[in-house]
Amino acid sequence: MVVPELRPWRGARPRVERIADAVRPSLARVGDALRRSIGTGSPQVRRGSRPRPWLYTATAATAGLALAVGVVTVSGPWDSSGQRTAERDRAVALEAARGTDHGSTRGRAGTPRETRTPPSAPSVLTGLGGTATTVKSAPGGKALAAVLDPLLKTPALGRHSASVVDVATGRRLYGTAPGTPLTPASTIKIVTAAAALSALGPDHRFTTRATYEPDTEEVVLVGGGDPTLSARKKPAPGTARLSDLAERTAAALAKRGVRKVTLSYDETLYPGDRRHPIGENTNIAEITPLMTDEARTDDSGSGAAPRVPDPAADAARTFGELLRKHGVETSPPGPSKSSSRAATLASVSSPPLSALVERMLTNSDNDIAEALARHTAIATGKRADFAGASAAVRAQLQKLKVPLKGAVLRDGSGLDRRDRLTADLLTALLVKAADPAHPELRPVLTGLPVAGFTGTLSGRYADGAGGVVRAKTGTLTGVNTLAGTVVDRDGRLLAFAFLGTGADRGAAQDALDKAATALAGCGCR
């Protein structure tokens, strides 16, 4: 994975190079003094003289201080809270990828970042633009209205709703029809993420297995609902690899003395219709618990792409080819179901749910979203289809005690135009994700695209609040939405949700971005 140089570094590079050049002669002089004091070999102490430990200590301290100054300076730039700004930016931009939202054919995103534990609330809030605590009061409602009303009451957004909430108190500071349900498009992924994390926990993983039926000498590839399972030669770090599963399966069969098997595959974890209601679409594959690389036929990691028509059968065929490379002869694969008598030969597991949630939000990944909705259903004892997943997600939201009036959940990705959410619900979930009482929800914040840097916001905010706004985008024909967080001019963390219905996508996105940028620059008292 190649991480491009971040913008703060490009601007700081001349200064860093000048500082490094200035420090280098000092370090050389210190080194010369050290060599003159102690010699090039082992120190020699003259007979009858006492060693001078202070000289060694002083010399070492001077060298250490000079080196530390150089390293600390070069490692900058640093922000007012003592956090290295490039490190903070890179923490959310490890893949620096371009996602593709619904209805868009822009550049592809990269692969998911390495597995890591969700940060604690203070570090997340600090990374969102300031310290976790603030000393100034929240913006005033009238002042916010004076700034936002002219920007949001534009024909570009059509019928719209908006909500701005102070994260520290949960108090709504601004609202325009905040309880009116509108089509959310991809911002519904915030809902899907919160429900899945609440039901499963951030450390949960999805496991793909190979089982063996001894009576029939049948090997069954059992789908565990991991759409990121990879058959590529160089998958992203932490991703489950089909080649690893094949190698382990072949080794387990060799121990049993088995070299010829009937190959089958099991995709029964998800019952019901496998096709999304929008029909065949390059934005989403057939919804099945067994697929590799989201059934993409190209080398993309996210966004629109051609897909194989039968992801489960394709994954099984690839698995058979890999087994044959390890000396196991297989039949052409067919659908089956692993029985309770079957023994597990080998398994591979996905990255933790926290990483999958972040990838889903950053890249607006529809395949992961639908998988997480179904896993929420499975975890809560409901049927893993569209209806069961929607019911399970709603039940988790009820447990989180967020406002659900008017909400209609038809899918997990937001591709279904019948979905309805309110701005109040979206901001309530963002506030809940920042609550120290709900650390399991933290990936909802850390996965939000960073304006001008990552995912579906990588190509936006070139002249606005780049690196300050973090938000989930939503785009369908006639629907443009944005929901996320921003730190205002006084360091106050705000959650916002803007939902619009304008037909001109470019004009609508500009209006949304201007509103979020205005929040970032607003003291508004």
Side-chain angles (χ1 to χ4, degrees):
M1 178 175 64
V2 177
V3 181
E5 183 181 33
L6 298 178
R7 294 180 183 178
W9 279 108
R10 289 199 293 268
R13 172 176 284 173
R15 181 175 63 85
V16 170
E17 290 177 345
R18 287 195 300 272
I19 292 170
D21 290 339
V23 169
R24 192 175 295 110
S26 298
L27 291 178
R29 287 194 297 271
V30 169
D32 291 338
L34 182 61
R35 284 190 293 272
R36 286 194 299 270
S37 300
I38 64 175
T40 57
S42 301
Q44 301 295 320
V45 180
R46 292 194 302 271
R47 187 184 305 273
S49 66
R50 299 180 60 185
R52 294 178 290 175
W54 62 269
L55 179 60
Y56 297 92
T57 303
T59 303
T62 302
L65 180 60
L67 181 60
V69 169
V71 171
V72 169
T73 304
V74 174
S75 295
W78 299 78
D79 64 17
S80 59
S81 67
Q83 183 177 19
R84 187 158 61 94
T85 54
E87 180 176 85
R88 181 190 63 199
D89 292 335
R90 188 176 184 274
V92 293
L94 285 176
E95 55 189 322
R98 281 192 189 196
T100 303
D101 210 350
H102 302 157
S104 175
T105 57
R106 291 190 304 162
R108 300 165 183 160
T111 50
R113 70 198 66 164
E114 291 186 16
T115 299
R116 56 189 171 92
T117 303
S120 62
S123 65
V124 170
L125 299 185
T126 299
L128 288 169
T131 57
T133 58
T134 56
V135 294
K136 294 190 177 182
S137 60
K142 291 183 179 180
L144 273 178
V147 171
L148 293 178
D149 280 350
L151 297 173
L152 294 175
K153 291 179 180 179
T154 169
L157 291 178
R159 184 187 179 204
H160 67 277
S161 67
S163 174
V164 178
V165 175
D166 177 34
V167 170
T169 64
R171 181 169 64 92
R172 191 203 305 141
L173 307 175
Y174 172 85
T176 297
T180 299
L182 294 175
T183 303
S186 198
T187 55
I188 202 173
K189 290 183 175 74
I190 292 174
V191 171
T192 304
L197 289 165
S198 178
L200 296 161
D203 296 325
H204 188 82
R205 298 172 186 260
F206 308 131
T207 300
T208 305
R209 299 181 297 134
T211 65
Y212 182 64
E213 302 281 356
D215 296 339
T216 58
E217 294 189 339
E218 179 185 14
V219 170
V220 184
L221 179 62
V222 184
D226 175 14
T228 67
L229 175 68
S230 183
R232 293 173 179 171
K233 292 182 178 180
K234 294 182 179 180
T239 303
R241 300 164 58 111
L242 193 65
S243 59
D244 289 343
L245 183 62
E247 181 180 3
R248 296 169 192 173
T249 299
L253 290 171
K255 289 182 179 179
R256 295 171 178 264
V258 177
R259 285 298 180 187
K260 183 176 181 180
V261 297
T262 299
L263 181 60
S264 302
Y265 59 93
D266 182 347
E267 55 177 335
T268 60
L269 185 66
Y270 298 167
D273 192 358
R274 301 190 308 176
R275 179 163 291 186
H276 192 282
I278 65 170
E280 185 176 345
N281 192 291
T282 55
N283 280 303
I284 190 169
E286 296 258 326
I287 302 170
T288 170
L290 179 60
M291 64 172 68
T292 59
D293 304 299
E294 298 182 342
R296 297 170 183 273
T297 60
D298 58 16
D299 61 354
S300 64
S302 71
R307 316 292 180 116
V308 298
D310 191 342
D314 181 72
R317 282 192 293 270
T318 303
F319 185 64
E321 293 169 2
L322 293 169
L323 284 177
R324 286 191 287 276
K325 289 182 179 179
H326 291 285
V328 179
E329 184 180 347
T330 71
S331 67
S336 184
K337 179 176 173 58
S338 182
S339 72
S340 58
R341 302 185 307 274
T344 296
L345 295 172
S347 64
V348 290
S349 295
S350 72
L353 179 58
S354 58
L356 296 180
V357 163
E358 290 181 331
R359 175 176 172 177
M360 174 189 71
L361 293 173
T362 299
N363 297 329
S364 198
D365 195 304
N366 301 312
D367 301 285
I368 294 178
E370 295 301 345
L372 297 192
R374 278 156 182 72
H375 279 290
T376 303
I378 294 168
T380 56
K382 292 182 171 57
R383 182 179 168 90
D385 57 12
F386 281 104
S390 297
V393 169
R394 176 177 284 273
Q396 292 305 122
L397 297 183
Q398 288 173 336
K399 290 181 180 179
L400 291 172
K401 298 180 180 180
V402 292
L404 285 172
K405 185 177 180 180
V408 177
L409 309 175
R410 294 286 188 172
D411 66 359
S413 61
L415 287 170
D416 196 318
R417 303 182 67 87
R418 297 172 295 174
D419 291 325
R420 295 290 185 274
L421 294 182
T422 66
D424 269 347
L425 171 56
L426 288 170
T427 51
L429 282 173
L430 292 167
V431 170
K432 192 74 69 172
D435 188 342
H438 288 279
E440 75 281 1
L441 301 182
R442 210 70 70 236
V444 173
L445 299 182
T446 57
L448 294 173
V450 181
F453 284 93
T454 64
T456 54
L457 286 184
S458 62
R460 291 163 65 170
Y461 292 87
D463 300 319
V468 178
V469 172
R470 302 186 179 199
K472 182 70 202 76
T473 56
T475 308
L476 292 170
T477 301
V479 176
N480 294 278
T481 59
L482 191 69
T485 62
V486 64
V487 178
D488 73 5
R489 189 177 62 194
D490 295 324
R492 198 85 183 186
L493 182 66
L494 307 177
F496 67 89
F498 305 141
L499 289 79
T501 58
D504 186 333
R505 177 184 302 167
Q509 289 183 351
D510 285 345
L512 295 173
D513 293 349
K514 287 178 181 177
T517 298
L519 275 179
C522 184
C524 299
R525 286 176 178 78

